[in-house]
Structures are given as structure tokens and as C-alpha cells.
Amino acid sequence: MDFATNFKRICQEKGTSPTRVVLELGLSSNKVNRWNNGAIPKGDVMVKLAEKLGCSVMDFFADEEDL
């Protein structure tokens, strides 16, 4: 699975939405659209996302068999 798919899945598991997470971190909601179109966040942003969601950065890149 790609970053955007895993990010959405993790957000759903935590009872929130991707847009809400990025806004709470002070980021632009446009980031979610870029990620949905294949962009990957910078490392520092991924760390902030992981901390906010209580997961590992590696969770954003998990394959289905890893879940």
C-alpha cells in the first residue's frame, strides 16, 4: 500500500480524518490532496504525523501482509 492509503487507514483506526490531523499540526489541508496524488511528506512531517497518531513512520509504508 502507498503512503496515502495507509495514512487514511491509520486515521480511520484512530477515529479521525487525514484533513483533521494535518490541520491540528498546523499544516495546509492541500497536503492531503498532494499525498493522495502520490507525493510523499518530508521526513520531519512524517515524524509529526506518526507522533500525532501514535504509530511508527514505518506504519505509513506497510504492505497488506504486514497488517
Side-chain angles (χ1 to χ4, degrees):
M1 286 193 255
D2 62 9
F3 171 82
T5 302
N6 280 318
F7 180 49
K8 285 184 227 174
R9 177 186 53 78
I10 294 166
C11 287
Q12 287 177 343
E13 290 173 359
K14 302 293 181 173
T16 190
S17 71
T19 302
R20 179 175 290 186
V21 171
V22 297
L23 292 176
E24 288 176 356
L25 290 174
L27 302 170
S28 168
S29 61
N30 287 343
K31 297 277 188 202
V32 176
N33 289 332
R34 286 189 212 155
W35 300 337
N36 287 336
N37 289 325
I40 304 288
K42 292 182 179 180
D44 62 326
V45 173
M46 276 196 261
V47 169
K48 289 178 184 177
L49 292 170
E51 288 174 352
K52 178 78 175 163
L53 292 167
C55 68
S56 164
V57 169
M58 293 306 296
D59 292 337
F60 296 131
F61 300 98
D63 290 325
E64 286 190 36
E65 61 266 6
D66 295 333
L67 301 177

